[in-house]
């Protein structure tokens, strides 16, 4: 006990603060070091998860001001995935990218161009989204890229009326895994537009049988998320 007390007393305040962050005592950590950006960021997380972004950003903005390279990515991710504020998310991602030349940034573990692609997709700027998703593929390489990069490319081409190109993009996802319901659903819709109802019916059945493998998250609804109800509705429409 005495040894621990002495150990604590000889440590500088910055180390004490970091130790307290690791122990999830964020307010105490800030008492020792008010400029500990990690403490401000971590303090924001529970509020952001709960949807209290006013309070969460009160802390998160301080973290970004103290260390933008470290925390811009998380703020952009929150703005994209939870707030659907595509413009401000892009500002954060672009600023981070400019601050880190020659570095492939991965905010919250996801490639920055994939996230920027989602932002443009959300804005319905499909040509720009395609540009970002293709840049993501170039950086991450075909076999390592997030499989939903191809799904998004397929949806973008579909929205632009390029139905054959859409099928090609969706097939790129299926080359990595046959169990991607989003791709089967997209192909079914594209083939319906192309007038090939047999192929459309075949793929809508595959979408239905693989729905358990869909992109899903307990906390967030994805921009390309699909639901069994819409698959069933589409299947019934094809049967009429």
């Amino acid at each position: 006990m005495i040894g621990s007390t002495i150990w604590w007393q000889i440590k500088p305040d910055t180390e004490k603060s970091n130790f307290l962050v690791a122990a999830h005592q964020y307010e105490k950590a800030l008492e020792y070091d008010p400029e500990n950006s990690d403490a401000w960021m971590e303090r924001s997380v529970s509020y952001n998860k709960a949807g209290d972004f006013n309070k969460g950003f009160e802390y998160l903005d301080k973290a970004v001001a103290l260390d933008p390279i470290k925390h811009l990515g998380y703020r952009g991710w929150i703005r994209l995935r939870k707030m659907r504020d595509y413009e401000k998310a892009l500002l954060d991602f672009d600023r981070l990218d400019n601050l880190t030349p020659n570095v492939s940034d991965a905010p919250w573990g996801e490639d920055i161009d994939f996230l920027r692609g989602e932002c443009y997709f959300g804005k319905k700027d499909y040509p720009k989204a395609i540009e970002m998703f293709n840049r993501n593929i170039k950086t991450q390489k075909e076999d390592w890229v997030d499989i939903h990069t191809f799904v998004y490319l397929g949806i973008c081409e579909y929205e632009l009326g390029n139905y054959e190109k859409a099928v090609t993009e969706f097939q790129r996802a299926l080359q990595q895994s046959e169990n991607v319901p989003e791709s089967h659903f997209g192909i079914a819709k594209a083939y319906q537009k192309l007038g090939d109802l047999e192929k459309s019916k075949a793929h809508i059945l595959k979408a239905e049988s693989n729905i358990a493998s869909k992109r899903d998250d307990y906390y967030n609804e994805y921009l390309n998320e699909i639901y069994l109800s819409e698959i069933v509705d589409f299947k019934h429409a094809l049967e009429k």
Side-chain angles (χ1 to χ4, degrees), residues 72-188:
L72 270 170
Y74 173 63
R75 191 172 72 179
W77 188 91
I78 289 291
R79 282 173 162 165
L80 165 61
R81 289 284 170 77
K82 290 187 172 293
M83 302 173 71
R84 298 291 194 254
D85 190 338
Y86 308 118
E87 294 288 355
K88 288 186 178 180
L90 281 168
L91 288 174
D92 281 345
F93 294 143
D94 290 345
R95 183 183 170 200
L96 174 61
D97 202 21
N98 289 331
L99 288 171
T100 55
N102 304 315
V103 173
S104 295
D105 295 297
W108 225 233
E110 297 186 74
D111 182 76
I112 193 168
D113 287 324
F114 179 81
L115 295 173
R116 284 193 284 210
E118 284 195 315
C119 288
Y120 285 112
F121 180 87
K123 284 161 53 70
K124 301 187 187 303
D125 186 344
Y126 301 118
K128 191 66 176 179
I130 289 171
E131 178 187 336
M132 291 296 108
F133 288 126
N134 279 325
R135 188 190 296 177
N136 176 40
I137 295 169
K138 183 177 179 180
T139 301
Q140 300 296 316
K141 307 307 179 188
E142 185 97 5
D143 293 338
W144 295 98
V145 75
D146 188 312
I147 199 168
H148 283 274
T149 302
F150 307 121
V151 174
Y152 273 121
L153 284 170
I155 299 173
C156 288
E157 296 292 355
Y158 178 89
E159 293 294 337
L160 292 170
N162 303 324
Y163 304 122
E164 291 183 355
K165 177 65 172 174
V167 170
T168 299
E169 296 294 1
F170 287 127
Q171 290 286 6
R172 293 171 77 184
L174 296 178
Q175 287 172 7
Q176 293 193 17
S177 172
E178 275 290 324
N179 305 316
V180 184
E182 294 87 354
S183 280
H184 287 298
F185 190 28
I187 291 174

Side-chain angles (χ1 to χ4, degrees), residues 27 40-41 43-62 83:
E27 292 188 22
W40 288 111
M41 190 281 285
R43 198 176 179 193
S44 78
V45 171
S46 61
Y47 293 103
N48 294 330
K49 282 186 176 180
D52 186 353
F53 301 115
N54 287 333
K55 192 66 175 179
F57 272 59
E58 179 183 329
Y59 302 134
L60 183 53
D61 288 345
K62 290 181 181 180
M83 302 173 71

